[in-house]
Amino acid sequence: MFATQSWDILPSERINRLKILVAITGASGSLYAQRLLDNLDPTAHEIHVVLSQYAQQVIATELPEGLRLPAGVKPHGLKSMNAPFASGSNPPDAMVVIPCTMGTLGRIAHGYSEDVLLRAADVVLKEKRKLILVPRETPLSLIHVKNFELLLLAGVTLIPANPSFYAGARTITELVDTVVARVLDHIGIPNPLAPRWTEERE
Ligand SMILES: Cc1cc2nc3c(=O)[nH]c(=O)nc-3n(C[C@H](O)[C@H](O)[C@H](O)COP(=O)(O)O)c2cc1C
């Protein structure tokens, strides 16, 4: 059976309020971003969102109803360095770039900081907070792989947008959730989104 999508978290699993920045770029897979936002609770955590210029274009192609921002999520303009996370004095606990283009991934790997999305990634790296990238591209070039290597050496977590099929997902959303569950795991948010691989019972 596929897991239900509810927040049935045990008291022992409750975690501190986190400041989380969700950055959305112009890679295919806007639904990954939507499902992550749908599964982050803005009453439990401080959730910020920023979109690259090209994210808007891909969202228009892939999400017929547009991106739904849950109540309480704070959107930020790409060009405003007034966002709190643009400074090392106020970094997020975690930043997720989902889905992440090879362009943004390369710019982060090489320290470009010309807009607030890239600056935030630079801040998260220098302040040694958690940076999770969800790259989406196929096939990969040597340049992509070298950038992956550089980012891994810098402590970035790479969670490619590769869904898993062993849990019997029946819809695109359930497949997408197999990736989103791993992202939530790495932020440190307990979730029942995708079933876990467990030992077979005798
Ligand atoms: C419909 C559509 C899908 C795209 N999918 C991808 C993709 O999966 N991966 C990628 O690296 N770029 C993809 N691109 C290209 C990027 O949007 C483009 O390189 C853009 O300059 C990236 O800018 P950004 O990184 O600031 O979002 C796609 C573009 C469009 C219009």
Side-chain angles (χ1 to χ4, degrees):
M1 259 281 278
F2 210 80
T4 55
Q5 290 164 15
S6 64
W7 285 91
D8 47 352
I9 302 303
L10 299 172
S12 61
E13 291 179 315
R14 293 225 169 89
I15 52 165
N16 293 336
R17 185 173 172 82
L18 298 173
K19 190 194 304 182
I20 301 165
L21 172 60
V22 177
I24 307 172
T25 70
S28 185
S30 311
L31 188 56
Y32 289 107
Q34 182 67 70
R35 290 300 296 158
L36 179 61
L37 289 171
D38 290 345
N39 285 281
L40 287 171
D41 180 358
T43 65
H45 303 289
E46 187 181 317
I47 314 294
H48 299 265
V49 173
V50 65
L51 273 67
S52 78
Q53 195 190 331
Y54 285 92
Q56 314 271 7
Q57 202 174 319
V58 179
I59 287 168
T61 306
E62 296 188 348
L63 298 179
E65 291 166 20
L67 186 74
R68 273 178 288 104
L69 286 191
V73 170
K74 297 175 190 167
H76 297 274
L78 191 61
K79 293 295 169 194
S80 160
M81 288 289 175
N82 284 330
F85 43 81
S87 161
S89 63
N90 203 356
D93 299 297
M95 174 176 179
V96 185
V97 187
I98 179 169
C100 185
T101 62
M102 292 303 115
T104 291
L105 185 140
R107 287 188 281 276
I108 293 173
H110 294 277
Y112 285 65
S113 290
E114 71 259 25
D115 62 37
V116 81
L117 189 161
L118 297 172
R119 169 64 181 160
D122 206 47
V123 165
V124 168
L125 279 176
K126 82 186 177 77
E127 300 299 332
K128 310 257 183 277
R129 305 300 168 100
K130 190 173 282 280
L131 178 58
I132 299 171
L133 307 185
V134 182
R136 215 299 322 175
E137 187 52 284
T138 194
L140 295 172
S141 72
L142 181 63
I143 289 169
H144 301 149
V145 172
K146 285 289 174 192
N147 285 336
F148 284 4
E149 181 188 30
L150 190 52
L151 290 163
L152 289 170
L153 288 170
V156 169
T157 301
L158 295 179
I159 302 181
N162 296 350
S164 60
F165 293 82
Y166 55 77
R170 291 161 305 189
T171 64
I172 291 174
T173 301
E174 286 177 350
L175 269 180
V176 161
D177 285 354
T178 64
V179 173
V180 172
R182 301 315 315 278
V183 172
L184 291 167
D185 288 349
H186 279 264
I187 299 173
I189 296 182
N191 69 90
L193 213 50
R196 310 278 155 185
W197 184 254
T198 51
E199 230 178 300
E200 264 182 51
R201 293 218 179 100
E202 295 291 318

